[in-house]
Amino acid sequence: MSSPILTLRSVVAGYGAGDILKGVDLEVAPGTVTCLIGPNGAGKSTVLKCVSGLLRPRSGTVSFRGEELNKLAPRDRLLRGIVHVPQDRSLFPAMTVWDNLLMGGYAMPDQKEVRRRVEAAADVFAICRERAREPAGSLSGGEQKQVELARTLVLDPGLILLDEPSIGLDPKSRTQVFASIRRLAEQGRTVLLVEQNARSGLAASDFGAVLETGVVRLVDRGADLLTNPEVARLYLGGNAHSSLSSAAAASSPGR
Ligand SMILES: Nc1ncnc2c1ncn2[C@@H]1O[C@H](COP(=O)(O)OP(=O)(O)O)[C@@H](O)[C@H]1O
Ligand SMILES: [Mg+2]
C-alpha cells in the first residue's frame, strides 16, 4: 500500500499489573477505512486509546504521518488531526447541536476558522442544520452519532478513531452511520474503527484486522475477511468460542 498514515510497532500497553496489548503491529493506509474486530476484551478500545494518547504504551511506538507520538499529550495529537470518538455518547446533552459542533474546535486558537468548519460540517451532515437549535440530548442515538461524526470534521482530522459507532443503534441508523463513515473516507479522511458488529464493520471498510489476546492475528481486505471461513466462523455469527490462532493450529497438518 501507499506509505501508511498510522503505524503501530510492537505496542505493549495495559492498565494495571498485566499487559493488555502484547506487541501490536498495525499499519493504516491514508484515505481508507480500517476495521478492527476481535472478541470482547481483546484490547480493541485500548488500541484506539494508545493512538489518541489516553493511554501511553509501555513499549513500542505509535507514529502518525511519520512522527512518533509516544511523548505527545492527547491535546497535541488532537491538534495534529487525530480525533477519537469514544464508544459512549459524547455530546453534551443539554447544549444545542450547534454549540456541540463549536465545542469540537475548543482546542483551536482560530475560532473564526472553527465557525467556518462548523458550517462546512453541517453541509455534509444535514441533521446538524435541521436540529441546530435543539439540545443534543433530544436527538435519537443514531442522530447523535451523526452529530459526533460531524463534530470530528471541525478539527479537519487526518485520522478519525471510532469506537463501536453502531452500538445500540437500530438497523436503519446503523446503515446511515456506516454510509457516513464511507463518505468521510471519500473526502480523504482516514478512519480506524472498532466494531462488535463485525459483518457491517468489515463491509464498510477497505481493510480489516483481527485482534486476539492483545496481538493482531490477521490483516486483509475487508471483503476478503468477510469471505474467510475462519473469520466467518469466529466473528460473523458462528460460535465465537475459539480463536484464530487455535483454529489455525487445529487445521494445520499433523494435528
Ligand atoms: N481503564 C481500565 N482500567 C483497567 N482495566 C481496563 C481499563 N479499560 C479496559 N481494561 C481492561 O482491558 C482489557 C481490554 O479492554 P478493551 O481494550 O476495552 O477491550 P475491547 O475493546 O476489545 O473489548 C479488558 O480486560 C478490560 O477489562
Ligand atoms: Mg471496546
Side-chain angles (χ1 to χ4, degrees):
M1 67 176 162
S2 54
S3 96
I5 190 167
L6 176 73
T7 306
L8 282 79
R9 287 240 186 283
S10 309
V11 169
V12 175
Y15 302 91
D19 296 329
I20 301 296
L21 304 185
K22 297 170 180 166
V24 166
D25 292 303
L26 185 67
E27 293 188 341
V28 174
T32 63
V33 180
T34 298
C35 180
L36 202 53
I37 65 169
N40 250 328
K44 303 183 296 297
S45 298
T46 303
V47 169
L48 298 190
K49 288 181 205 167
C50 285
V51 177
S52 65
L54 296 178
L55 185 67
R56 297 273 171 101
R58 290 175 174 153
S59 61
T61 56
V62 179
S63 307
F64 179 64
R65 293 187 166 135
E67 179 190 19
E68 197 181 301
L69 299 179
N70 289 41
K71 292 195 173 64
L72 293 181
R75 186 179 192 276
D76 296 315
R77 301 185 196 205
L78 201 61
L79 290 170
R80 279 165 176 74
I82 300 176
V83 183
H84 188 167
V85 181
Q87 180 178 328
D88 303 322
R89 288 182 190 169
S90 65
L91 298 178
F92 298 96
M95 286 172 63
T96 66
V97 166
W98 204 260
D99 285 344
N100 267 280
L101 293 175
L102 291 169
M103 284 299 288
Y106 80 93
M108 283 173 55
D110 183 352
Q111 287 298 306
K112 198 171 155 208
E113 174 66 9
V114 168
R115 288 192 290 278
R116 199 192 62 72
R117 287 186 191 171
V118 166
E119 295 284 346
D123 289 340
V124 181
F125 292 88
I127 187 90
C128 297
R129 249 186 250 291
E130 289 159 18
R131 311 290 288 276
R133 297 289 152 226
E134 293 176 43
S138 71
L139 275 59
S140 74
E143 291 166 343
Q144 290 191 40
K145 197 47 81 174
Q146 298 289 339
V147 176
E148 286 181 86
L149 294 178
R151 187 174 57 175
T152 67
L153 295 180
V154 178
L155 285 156
D156 190 20
L159 177 63
I160 304 171
L161 308 168
L162 302 177
D163 201 339
E164 310 261 11
S166 82
I167 201 161
L169 301 185
D170 60 87
K172 184 165 166 253
S173 306
R174 208 185 298 152
T175 306
Q176 286 171 347
V177 162
F178 285 120
S180 298
I181 291 170
R182 285 305 325 165
R183 246 185 308 152
L184 292 173
E186 280 154 22
Q187 293 184 341
R189 316 287 178 179
T190 306
V191 178
L192 176 59
L193 84 143
V194 167
E195 258 304 328
Q196 200 54 234
N197 189 335
R199 189 180 297 279
S200 306
L202 291 174
S205 299
D206 302 291
F207 298 97
V210 182
L211 186 75
E212 280 183 1
T213 56
V215 175
V216 174
R217 302 277 179 201
L218 185 61
V219 180
D220 208 340
R221 295 196 160 271
D224 292 334
L225 286 179
L226 278 172
T227 56
N228 178 314
E230 289 308 330
V231 172
R233 189 171 66 78
L234 295 169
Y235 299 112
L236 304 177
N239 296 321
H241 296 310
S242 186
S243 67
L244 269 184
S245 45
S246 59
S251 63
S252 68
R255 287 284 198 112

